[in-house]
Amino acid sequence: MHVAITGASSGIGEALARAYGHASNRLTIVARRTERLQQLATELDAPTHSITADLSDLTTCCDWIDEAESTHGPIDLFLNNAGIQIVDPVLAVDPDRRDQLFRLDLLAPLRMIHRIAPGMVERESGVVVNISSVAGLVATPGMCHYNAAKSGFASFSEGLGWELRSTGVHVVTVYPGPIRTAMEEKARKRLGGGFADLAPTGSTEKLARLIVRAVSRKRRRVIYPRFYVVTRIFRGTAQWITDRLTPPLKDRRD
Ligand SMILES: NC(=O)c1ccc[n+]([C@@H]2O[C@H](COP(=O)([O-])OP(=O)(O)OC[C@H]3O[C@@H](n4cnc5c(N)ncnc54)[C@H](OP(=O)(O)O)[C@@H]3O)[C@@H](O)[C@H]2O)c1
């Protein structure tokens, strides 16, 4: 199986590469940090092709796909994972950073799906896994742009899964809560104290295992840590609690 993973140079994407990096698969791993990708490729048992790409550039974000498919054949499993986060009050956010976030977290993932999924539909087989966030279910003060992008991505993903349900192509929407990665550590420091420190947190390895299982069992969504299932079911209450318990952002930036 040809597995393509964006944002594989660290965190959740790296854990997914390790989870799928065994001899029965062929991997394509994509991110900007070339050395980290190349190092990871040497540690996996699967034949792994690493491609350096800045996916926030919408004119080139799909260019890696031809190279990947001519190396390893059609993509069977697309793990749409690369993303960034901004933790700052809306009015303090530099517009270029804001636009970069929407390009990387929302527009590029949609473009890549548009480029990869038609082949899957034609072959009547394939899986697309979209990494959204619990932050796409409940807005967290200080992360409004991230909330908006992840919420849009989750809605798109859920709708796409339904649209493609009889084509042989399966879509999994993933809602991670806080997962111990560089991104989460930065956010925790910035929000530091109170609710941010109490929030149940998960590991990249466990999340990757749950995603592997959801793909093989054709589940429609993964919410992890499990605590956050209540967020999806009781969205209004979860928003009320989040509004009251999220501490004000620290003045000092990292
Ligand atoms: N950790 C959490 O608590 C959490 C919770 C919910 C959702 N998520 C989502 O999970 C995904 C992975 O995040 P993570 O926590 O694993 O963070 P991470 O360790 O910072 O990983 C982010 C990945 O995205 C890649 N990336 C960033 N900008 C890129 C760009 N312009 N072009 C190509 N690749 C780019 C990074 O690689 P390079 O820097 O090498 O390009 C890296 O491989 C993201 O979509 C994030 O929103 C994370």
Short mmCIF file of all heavy atoms in Angstrom, two decimals, residues 9 11 15 37 74 83 93 105 122 129 161 201 230 243:
data_model
loop_
_atom_site.label_atom_id
_atom_site.label_comp_id
_atom_site.label_asym_id
_atom_site.label_seq_id
_atom_site.Cartn_x
_atom_site.Cartn_y
_atom_site.Cartn_z
N SER A 9 7.67 15.29 9.40
CA SER A 9 9.00 15.53 9.98
C SER A 9 8.98 15.63 11.51
O SER A 9 10.03 15.69 12.13
CB SER A 9 9.60 16.81 9.39
OG SER A 9 8.75 17.91 9.66
N GLY A 11 6.17 15.20 15.37
CA GLY A 11 4.85 15.05 16.00
C GLY A 11 3.99 13.91 15.49
O GLY A 11 4.45 12.77 15.31
N ALA A 15 4.81 10.07 13.95
CA ALA A 15 4.28 8.85 14.59
C ALA A 15 3.49 8.02 13.57
O ALA A 15 3.56 6.78 13.58
CB ALA A 15 3.40 9.22 15.77
N LEU A 37 13.27 14.53 7.54
CA LEU A 37 12.58 13.52 6.71
C LEU A 37 13.55 12.42 6.31
O LEU A 37 13.23 11.23 6.37
CB LEU A 37 12.00 14.18 5.46
CG LEU A 37 10.83 15.15 5.65
CD1 LEU A 37 10.43 15.75 4.31
CD2 LEU A 37 9.63 14.45 6.28
N PRO A 74 0.00 4.77 -7.49
CA PRO A 74 -1.10 5.59 -6.98
C PRO A 74 -1.16 5.59 -5.44
O PRO A 74 -0.90 4.56 -4.82
CB PRO A 74 -2.35 4.91 -7.55
CG PRO A 74 -1.86 4.04 -8.65
CD PRO A 74 -0.45 3.70 -8.38
N GLY A 83 0.20 20.99 9.55
CA GLY A 83 -0.56 22.13 10.04
C GLY A 83 0.27 23.01 10.94
O GLY A 83 1.33 22.60 11.43
N VAL A 93 -2.65 39.43 15.59
CA VAL A 93 -2.05 38.48 14.63
C VAL A 93 -1.68 39.19 13.33
O VAL A 93 -2.49 39.90 12.74
CB VAL A 93 -3.03 37.32 14.33
CG1 VAL A 93 -2.49 36.41 13.23
CG2 VAL A 93 -3.30 36.51 15.60
N ASP A 105 -3.62 25.04 6.69
CA ASP A 105 -4.53 24.21 7.49
C ASP A 105 -5.86 23.93 6.78
O ASP A 105 -6.60 23.04 7.19
CB ASP A 105 -4.83 24.87 8.84
CG ASP A 105 -3.61 24.86 9.78
OD1 ASP A 105 -2.53 24.45 9.32
OD2 ASP A 105 -3.74 25.27 10.95
N GLU A 122 -11.83 6.58 -9.19
CA GLU A 122 -11.72 5.79 -10.42
C GLU A 122 -11.36 4.33 -10.11
O GLU A 122 -11.89 3.40 -10.70
CB GLU A 122 -10.64 6.42 -11.29
CG GLU A 122 -10.83 6.22 -12.77
CD GLU A 122 -9.82 7.07 -13.53
OE1 GLU A 122 -9.86 8.31 -13.39
OE2 GLU A 122 -8.98 6.48 -14.19
N VAL A 129 -7.39 10.47 5.23
CA VAL A 129 -7.50 10.77 6.66
C VAL A 129 -7.20 12.26 6.85
O VAL A 129 -6.12 12.73 6.48
CB VAL A 129 -6.50 9.93 7.48
CG1 VAL A 129 -6.52 10.34 8.94
CG2 VAL A 129 -6.80 8.44 7.34
N GLY A 161 -16.82 12.57 3.36
CA GLY A 161 -16.97 11.16 3.71
C GLY A 161 -18.35 10.65 3.32
O GLY A 161 -18.52 9.56 2.78
N THR A 201 -4.38 15.04 28.09
CA THR A 201 -3.44 15.11 26.98
C THR A 201 -3.06 13.71 26.52
O THR A 201 -2.98 12.80 27.35
CB THR A 201 -2.18 15.87 27.46
OG1 THR A 201 -2.62 17.14 27.95
CG2 THR A 201 -1.18 16.10 26.36
N VAL A 230 -17.13 13.89 24.64
CA VAL A 230 -18.23 14.70 25.19
C VAL A 230 -18.29 16.08 24.52
O VAL A 230 -19.35 16.68 24.41
CB VAL A 230 -18.13 14.89 26.73
CG1 VAL A 230 -18.33 13.59 27.46
CG2 VAL A 230 -16.82 15.54 27.13
N ASP A 243 -15.06 28.73 27.59
CA ASP A 243 -15.07 30.20 27.70
C ASP A 243 -14.72 30.64 29.12
O ASP A 243 -13.99 31.61 29.32
CB ASP A 243 -16.46 30.76 27.36
CG ASP A 243 -16.77 30.67 25.87
OD1 ASP A 243 -15.83 30.39 25.10
OD2 ASP A 243 -17.95 30.85 25.51
#
